[in-house]
Amino acid sequence: MMDVYDQNTRRRVMQRIRKTNTKPELRVRSVLHRMGYRFRLYRSDLPGNPDIVLPKYRVAVLVHGCFWHQHSCSLGKLPKSNRSYWVPKLTGNCVRDGQTKKALSAAGWKVVTVWECEVTTDDCVRQLLEARLKLYSPKLGNPNATKRSLSP
C-alpha cells in the first residue's frame, strides 16, 4: 500500500510527534498535582528517564503511548504498510521498556505504568493512580495523610 503523503509531508508529520509533554502526560501530571503529590520530570540520573518521579515515595511513573509501546488495546495496532520498518522499531521499544523497568526495580524504585488509552478523563486518571499507588503503600493513596497537623 502506498503512503498517502509525499516524503516531505510524511517527514513533517513524524517530526511533530512529541517525546515529552504529551497530552496524556500533562493530564497525569495535573491530576497528581491536584492529589497533593510533588514530583520531578524526566530524571536523567535514573534508567530510561522516567516521565514522572515521586522521589519521596521512590515511585517512577511511565506514561506510555499505546501505539509506540504496543499496548494490547485498539490503539496499539501495527500499521498495515511498511511492516519491515515498524515491527523491529516497535519491538525494540517494548524490549527497552522491559529493560528500563528491570533497571528501575533493581535500583529500588517502584514502577507504575499508565497507558494512553487509560487517560480519558481526570476522574479515570485519579481512580487509576489511587489504585496503582496504593499497591505500594497505603500512604500513597492519600499523600496528605503523611503531612503533620499544624494544630497542637
Side-chain angles (χ1 to χ4, degrees), residues 1-119:
M1 182 176 189
M2 289 275 302
D3 195 354
V4 294
Y5 296 123
D6 62 79
Q7 190 175 7
N8 290 331
T9 306
R10 172 60 61 201
R11 182 177 180 81
R12 280 196 309 273
V13 167
M14 294 302 286
Q15 284 177 334
R16 295 201 59 197
I17 297 172
R18 293 177 159 197
K19 179 180 178 181
T20 59
N21 298 322
T22 61
K23 286 182 183 180
E25 274 183 42
L26 294 175
R27 177 167 270 168
V28 170
R29 287 170 14 194
S30 173
V31 170
L32 274 173
H33 192 268
R34 278 184 269 137
M35 289 172 68
Y37 291 104
R38 297 301 173 252
F39 49 84
R40 298 285 171 253
L41 303 175
Y42 317 116
R43 289 256 313 256
S44 59
D45 61 328
L46 293 176
N49 293 8
D51 301 315
I52 301 167
V53 176
L54 304 170
K56 180 177 180 179
Y57 304 104
R58 292 192 61 84
V59 172
V61 180
L62 305 175
V63 182
H64 286 331
C66 295
F67 172 74
W68 296 104
H69 298 271
Q70 289 299 283
H71 190 227
S72 59
C73 69
S74 63
L75 299 175
K77 292 181 182 174
L78 277 172
K80 292 181 181 177
S81 63
N82 204 6
R83 283 188 179 245
S84 61
Y85 170 78
W86 285 111
V87 170
K89 176 164 185 55
L90 298 175
T91 303
N93 289 351
C94 295
V95 169
R96 189 173 53 250
D97 291 342
Q99 292 169 344
T100 298
K101 287 178 186 178
K102 282 182 185 176
L104 284 167
S105 295
W109 289 83
K110 300 162 210 88
V111 180
V112 172
T113 302
V114 178
W115 293 96
E116 171 187 14
C117 63
E118 298 172 325
V119 183

